Amino acid sequence: MQPDVTFVIAAYNAELTIERAIASAIAQRNVSVEIIIVDDQSRDRTLDLAKSYPQDVVRVVALAQNRGPGGARNAGLELARGRWVAVLDSDDAVYPGRICAMIDRAEKAGAEIVVDNLQVVREDGVAEETMFPADYLEGLGEISLADYIAGNVVFESRFNLGYLKPIFQRRFLNENGLRYDESLIIGEDYILLASALAKGGKCVVEPTTGYVYHIRTGSISRVLELHHVEAMRKADLVFARTHSMDAAAQAAFARRTRSLRKAASFLSLVQHIKARSPLKAVWTALSDPAAVRHMSMPIAIRLRRVAAQLAVGGR
């Protein structure tokens, strides 16, 4: 029988959290589940732990070479058999009723994509507020391409929709040739969902909280660096050439493009300050004054102090 959902769990050095993710997928209620673990050349016990489960419960794929998060997920998608596919990060978890609620919401609305709210859990295990206010998601109801792009304007979006963890109708992904961009380390989730929306996918919102997002120190998704932004800009150029957008989406895309340019300038400024190159920092600021507005962020406040100390030292 075809499973209702396939969980694709890309894992890299996740021995401390992989069993939590697997257990939460197994615990889904009122749906049939397939679990695929893709080990991305881990150097710890991740692969051994994944293989300790019966093969009819957890299918394990060991990649011959490291392909990054997008590549590992793509390997899992190629093997998935479920009507729906859900990506679960190896350090996160899902609540037992999540998939059933999401599929029910999507199928009643005739949608190919559905998202829900996320519970944020600190590294010490303390649960914080949900990622999005419940009334905000309820007000959205459905997310258009324009909505989604506007919710991914770097450093400016009120609520960053890039954190959403959608489930997709697998047939829709396959029919449209949709897969993760393996060149991206950050932003691969954004491009996939944006592409699905541009292909005509309908995305509805299940406002309940089903995904448990664990904050982890040093996580790639929480550290934005200049090379990440440059890769995102390149991916956006490809997106614009590949997909058509209505006026609202084009306007949102223009805002995102400006935000990425400013983010690149700001992070370049950060690099110059850290490298104790005040002249280069000043030149960067003069070249793109809009980037200086980001200096109000906490990290930038600390960098301004460093810059001031450098200036005093120089004198």
Side-chain angles (χ1 to χ4, degrees):
M1 292 180 61
Q2 183 181 31
D4 291 316
V5 64
T6 297
F7 278 99
V8 174
I9 304 177
Y12 176 72
N13 292 347
E15 64 178 4
L16 299 179
T17 60
I18 187 70
E19 291 181 294
R20 178 179 65 199
I22 293 172
S24 73
I26 292 174
Q28 291 302 294
R29 295 194 296 256
N30 302 318
V31 289
S32 54
V33 172
E34 174 185 54
I35 301 171
I36 299 177
I37 307 292
V38 183
D39 182 75
D40 199 18
Q41 283 284 298
S42 294
R43 293 173 293 177
D44 62 4
R45 296 177 57 247
T46 298
L47 183 58
D48 292 335
L49 291 173
K51 286 184 173 180
S52 68
Y53 292 84
Q55 292 185 14
D56 61 337
V57 176
V58 177
R59 297 169 63 192
V60 181
V61 179
L63 296 182
Q65 61 184 19
N66 183 276
R67 289 174 56 180
R73 291 170 182 172
N74 284 343
L77 290 176
E78 292 300 323
L79 297 173
R81 297 182 298 111
R83 292 189 300 113
W84 293 82
V85 289
V87 167
L88 173 58
D89 290 346
S90 60
D91 52 354
D92 291 335
V94 285
Y95 289 132
R98 182 189 191 228
I99 297 300
C100 182
M102 295 179 82
I103 291 178
D104 184 59
R105 174 77 60 170
E107 293 184 342
K108 285 180 178 178
E112 295 83 12
I113 313 159
V114 58
V115 297
D116 62 351
N117 209 341
L118 299 85
Q119 175 64 59
V120 180
V121 178
R122 295 192 328 222
E123 198 162 20
D124 60 5
V126 175
E128 296 185 341
E129 295 181 353
T130 55
M131 182 76 72
F132 306 97
D135 57 351
Y136 169 71
L137 288 185
E138 289 174 358
L140 280 179
E142 183 177 334
I143 298 176
S144 68
L145 178 59
D147 293 331
Y148 189 61
I149 296 175
N152 281 275
V153 176
V154 181
F155 295 152
E156 296 179 25
S157 300
R158 182 186 176 199
F159 300 113
N160 190 335
L161 299 183
Y163 281 104
L164 291 171
K165 297 292 186 178
I167 68 170
F168 296 92
Q169 188 182 75
R170 185 173 64 88
R171 183 178 62 185
F172 177 79
L173 291 182
N174 290 343
E175 288 177 349
N176 289 281
L178 293 170
R179 291 294 185 267
Y180 287 95
D181 185 336
E182 298 188 21
S183 70
L184 294 173
I185 300 300
I186 288 181
E188 75 280 4
D189 296 300
Y190 163 77
I191 287 292
L192 179 64
L193 181 48
S195 298
L197 292 167
K199 288 286 189 180
K202 180 178 181 179
C203 178
V204 293
V205 178
E206 167 54 48
T208 57
T209 303
Y211 194 96
V212 186
Y213 177 79
H214 287 264
I215 296 175
R216 182 165 54 87
T217 302
S219 171
I220 292 175
S221 64
R222 299 185 61 81
V223 181
L224 188 63
E225 297 181 0
L226 179 58
H227 65 96
H228 296 143
V229 175
E230 295 296 355
M232 291 161 68
R233 295 176 75 182
K234 290 180 181 178
D236 272 22
L237 288 175
V238 174
F239 178 87
R241 290 197 300 265
T242 306
H243 303 290
S244 60
M245 293 179 276
D246 61 21
Q250 288 178 6
F253 186 83
R255 283 184 56 215
R256 174 176 161 85
T257 299
R258 290 193 296 270
S259 78
L260 287 172
R261 187 206 74 225
K262 288 189 289 185
S265 296
F266 168 68
L267 292 170
S268 179
L269 180 63
V270 169
Q271 284 190 354
H272 294 323
I273 292 174
K274 286 183 174 180
R276 297 176 178 268
S277 301
L279 292 179
K280 290 182 179 180
V282 170
W283 175 255
T284 300
L286 292 174
S287 300
D288 191 357
V292 180
R293 295 174 189 167
H294 294 317
M295 295 302 283
S296 62
M297 297 190 303
I299 182 175
I301 292 172
R302 293 196 296 271
L303 287 167
R304 284 210 304 273
R305 293 173 184 164
V306 173
Q309 292 170 359
L310 289 173
V312 172
R315 288 197 298 270

